[in-house]
Amino acid sequence: MSKVIGFKNINRLAIPAIVAGIAEPLLSITDTAIVGNIPEYGTESLAAVGIVGSFLSALIWILGQTRSAISAIISQYLGAGKIEEVKTLPAQAIFFNVALSIFVLISTVFFVEEIFKLYNASGLILKYCVVYYDIRVWGFPLTLFTFAVFGIFRGLQNTFWPMIVAIIGAVANIVLDFILVYGIEGFIAPMGISGAAWASLISQFLMAVIVFILLLTKTNVSLKLRFPLNKELGRLVTMSLNLFVRSIALNTALYFATSSATEYGDEYIAAYTIAMNIWMFTAFFIDGYGGAGNILGGKLLGAKDYKSLWKLGKRVSTYGVGVSLILALFGFIFYDAIGEVFTSETIVLETFYSVFFIVLIVQPINGLAFVFDGIFKGLGEMSYLRNVLLGATFLGFIPTLYLCNFFDLKLYGIWIAFTVWALFRGVALVIKFRNKFLPLIS
């Protein structure tokens, strides 16, 4: 198994996983950067994109957890040499995921204003939120379908095709953003914030179509729904529910952060939007090594090769922390230029620059937390992941945020709270991994 956990094989999986993973945050980053530079829309449009992006990310994370569950089960059966036993599972899992996403979509479209009022949006910001969300929300089931198929490919130890799909989607979104937001004189009228939403929706549709074709042509996986239900569907649903609760805890932290930033004022929510988009981008970037840990960890667990699993944990975490340090260094080198990509509003930039250093300093902690998070997903340890995030949110993040608000630290408080949140997760996962697997190789 030495080749399985070698540098070359880990990066063969991790690098494409990085590219695939940053597809969704790139959609939001592109929208944020382009909309934030439209003079006639100003700070309000940037704030609206940030609020809607936060809410949609919440929905996607909550319901997109089936991807990790599918990947874990398939990789474990692959490692055990019993992949035929779960051949009916992917179609059943995808049907479950998409049906649930459609239900959630329909249940939110009638309460759009009420939802964003909970984020303290009002006036022009609320108006832009509704305009942007009413279009982008229809890409929600498409993204969840794409994520589920990505999970199937991951379970089969293949991150190449998800990478190709993600690249196509990201490029399409950037091109469409420029065309639809700014328009083409004599052909397409400028659509502003609506154009950014349409660009994301069309890109999500394109990705869903391509990944569907690739699944049919590049794998033996059938999307035909067959009965009886696969014996692992119950475990998949249980794992997904644990991750569902975990994602609610995660998005509780995001909700408190976003609503607090909105309450501080327009320049604060705009600056927070920029910082959060960068945070999300780096998180998904680092999570590429978490994806490699997910894929290989499940396979090694299925083969009961605990010695290699222990080595995998040390190697992948080292790579993840190394990449996070490079990202932080890049951020410090291009500190001013990064903010200017998103907006030219002086007050927003000054507010962003005042806290950006915290986002960069916490990157190595994120590297450790996100990589072990991916490994534990591959091991199927969803209940422990649930408990860790509940603790990180309700014992770490929220008390820290309220304490910082008491001292009127504003955005400093939000990012200090996120630092505590990441540290809680990283320490808890490292301790659990050490206590569980070190005795098995002694």
Side-chain angles (χ1 to χ4, degrees), residues 30-348:
T30 304
D31 287 357
T32 302
I34 291 178
V35 169
N37 282 286
I38 304 175
E40 61 267 31
Y41 279 79
T43 302
E44 290 84 2
S45 64
L46 184 58
V49 170
I51 294 170
V52 174
S54 178
F55 179 66
L56 282 175
S57 293
L59 291 179
I60 290 167
W61 280 344
I62 289 171
L63 298 180
Q65 299 304 321
T66 310
R67 172 182 61 174
S68 297
I70 293 172
S71 177
I73 292 172
I74 291 178
S75 61
Q76 288 171 21
Y77 271 81
L78 186 66
K82 300 178 180 178
I83 193 67
E84 280 295 310
E85 294 183 18
V86 289
K87 65 181 181 180
T88 61
L89 182 63
Q92 294 171 5
I94 289 174
F95 179 82
F96 166 76
N97 211 36
V98 173
L100 188 59
S101 72
I102 292 173
F103 171 77
V104 172
L105 182 155
I106 293 173
S107 66
T108 63
V109 294
F110 298 109
F111 306 100
V112 179
E113 285 197 14
E114 288 75 12
I115 289 170
F116 295 119
K117 283 179 181 176
L118 291 174
Y119 283 83
N120 293 318
S122 60
L124 197 55
I125 292 178
L126 179 60
K127 177 185 175 182
Y128 286 157
C129 281
V130 173
V131 169
Y132 186 65
Y133 182 80
D134 279 347
I135 299 168
R136 269 211 67 179
V137 69
W138 298 101
F140 177 51
L142 299 172
T143 296
L144 291 183
F145 171 78
T146 301
F147 275 17
V149 178
F150 280 4
I152 295 170
F153 275 110
R154 278 190 174 193
L156 295 172
Q157 316 291 287
N158 186 326
T159 56
F160 176 77
W161 290 117
M163 176 187 71
I164 297 300
V165 174
I167 290 173
I168 293 172
V171 171
N173 187 64
I174 292 170
V175 172
L176 288 169
D177 256 329
F178 278 102
I179 292 173
L180 299 179
V181 171
Y182 296 117
I184 299 177
E185 190 173 352
F187 293 95
I188 299 174
M191 297 173 65
I193 194 170
S194 297
W198 277 110
S200 294
L201 177 58
I202 295 169
S203 300
Q204 288 166 316
F205 176 77
L206 180 63
M207 290 171 68
V209 170
I210 295 173
V211 83
F212 173 74
I213 294 171
L214 287 173
L215 186 68
L216 295 181
T217 58
K218 300 297 181 180
T219 74
N220 293 322
V221 175
S222 171
L223 288 182
K224 184 177 180 180
L225 194 60
R226 295 178 181 175
F227 294 95
L229 297 177
N230 191 275
K231 63 180 181 179
E232 287 291 347
L233 185 63
R235 184 160 76 107
L236 183 140
V237 172
T238 301
M239 291 165 70
S240 298
L241 287 174
N242 278 322
L243 291 173
F244 180 90
V245 174
R246 173 182 179 273
S247 294
I248 291 176
L250 185 155
N251 287 291
T252 298
L254 288 177
Y255 165 74
F256 275 94
T258 305
S259 60
S260 294
T262 306
E263 190 174 1
Y264 301 150
D266 290 357
E267 68 271 23
Y268 289 98
I269 181 58
Y272 166 81
T273 295
I274 298 171
M276 180 51 71
N277 271 280
I278 295 168
W279 170 284
M280 294 292 186
F281 177 83
T282 57
F284 280 93
F285 198 103
I286 297 167
D287 194 50
Y289 283 95
N294 178 313
I295 295 164
L296 297 175
K299 185 177 181 180
L300 293 172
L301 181 67
K304 298 183 179 180
D305 187 352
Y306 303 120
K307 186 175 182 179
S308 294
L309 183 56
W310 174 257
K311 290 180 180 178
L312 174 73
K314 292 200 295 183
R315 290 182 184 178
V316 175
S317 60
T318 300
Y319 300 154
V321 171
V323 168
S324 68
L325 287 170
I326 293 172
L327 290 171
L329 180 62
F330 182 88
F332 278 115
I333 292 172
F334 298 100
Y335 203 88
D336 291 343
I338 289 172
E340 291 167 357
V341 168
F342 293 92
T343 184
S344 57
E345 296 273 346
T346 302
I347 189 171
V348 175

Side-chain angles (χ1 to χ4, degrees), residues 320-383:
V321 171
V323 168
S324 68
L325 287 170
I326 293 172
L327 290 171
L329 180 62
F330 182 88
F332 278 115
I333 292 172
F334 298 100
Y335 203 88
D336 291 343
I338 289 172
E340 291 167 357
V341 168
F342 293 92
T343 184
S344 57
E345 296 273 346
T346 302
I347 189 171
V348 175
L349 286 173
E350 288 176 351
T351 307
F352 166 69
Y353 292 144
S354 70
V355 297
F356 186 35
F357 73 95
I358 305 178
V359 178
L360 298 176
I361 289 173
V362 78
Q363 289 306 311
I365 303 173
N366 285 348
L368 196 65
F370 297 157
V371 166
F372 273 100
D373 192 88
I375 292 173
F376 272 79
K377 285 178 181 176
L379 301 178
E381 294 275 355
M382 311 310 188
S383 59

Side-chain angles (χ1 to χ4, degrees), residues 404-424:
C404 290
N405 278 338
F406 177 78
F407 290 102
D408 198 31
L409 295 180
K410 293 188 169 64
L411 288 191
Y412 290 104
I414 289 176
W415 291 108
I416 290 171
F418 272 124
T419 302
V420 171
W421 182 76
L423 188 61
F424 189 111

